[in-house]
Amino acid sequence: MAEAELERSLTLVQRLPRVLDALQAGLLHDKHLWCLLEHVAPIADDGLRAKVEAELIDWVAARNRVTTPAALGDRVRRVVARSNARDAARDLARALEQRGISVRPERTVGMSAVTIVCTTPEAQAF
């Protein structure tokens, strides 16, 4: 149990510093952490994670009523889902930059294989 608590503490310090500040200020409490640790902390991109974290903390701070852990969890899922959609679009744009055609010889003399990396609509047209 001590190991889990240490891991949780390190995650807050290293990956969710604004959440830690909000805890210390009393804006959030211990029961709010599960959804933030589960959905926000694993976001690999530091900038995106910080943006999502800031949006969520600002949302809690702007409310004029108590935010339940369930309400925060719902908001976290929506914000992360929206961000993941952006990630998917960004990944597609990156993939488009890397598309291309490669040719490699086959085992049979005089034969080659052509590999095309392209979007699905382009592949269907081909």
Side-chain angles (χ1 to χ4, degrees):
M1 190 166 180
E3 242 179 73
E5 188 61 31
L6 179 60
E7 182 181 340
R8 186 173 91 142
S9 298
L10 288 172
T11 300
L12 285 171
V13 169
Q14 295 171 351
R15 298 183 71 85
L16 299 172
R18 286 200 61 190
V19 170
L20 183 59
D21 292 343
L23 275 169
Q24 292 171 342
L27 185 62
L28 298 176
H29 59 75
D30 188 53
K31 302 294 184 204
H32 287 121
L33 294 180
W34 68 270
C35 59
L36 296 164
L37 290 168
E38 185 175 319
H39 298 289
V40 180
I43 297 173
D45 182 293
D46 293 339
L48 181 59
R49 185 177 58 251
K51 183 179 174 189
V52 168
E53 179 187 21
E55 181 177 339
L56 292 166
I57 297 300
D58 292 346
W59 177 79
V60 171
R63 293 174 56 106
N64 292 326
R65 60 180 187 260
V66 174
T67 301
T68 65
L72 179 59
D74 183 54
R75 181 68 178 198
V76 165
R77 283 186 290 279
R78 283 187 276 134
V79 170
V80 169
R82 185 177 69 229
S83 298
N84 285 342
R86 289 184 194 142
D87 284 351
R90 198 174 309 131
D91 290 347
L92 179 58
R94 202 173 297 129
L96 283 172
E97 292 171 2
Q98 297 172 352
R99 67 183 170 185
I101 299 173
S102 63
V103 178
R104 64 177 170 75
E106 281 291 310
R107 291 184 183 143
T108 306
V109 177
M111 300 296 288
S112 294
V114 176
T115 303
I116 301 173
V117 178
C118 56
T119 66
T120 300
E122 289 170 333
Q124 290 170 339
F126 181 72

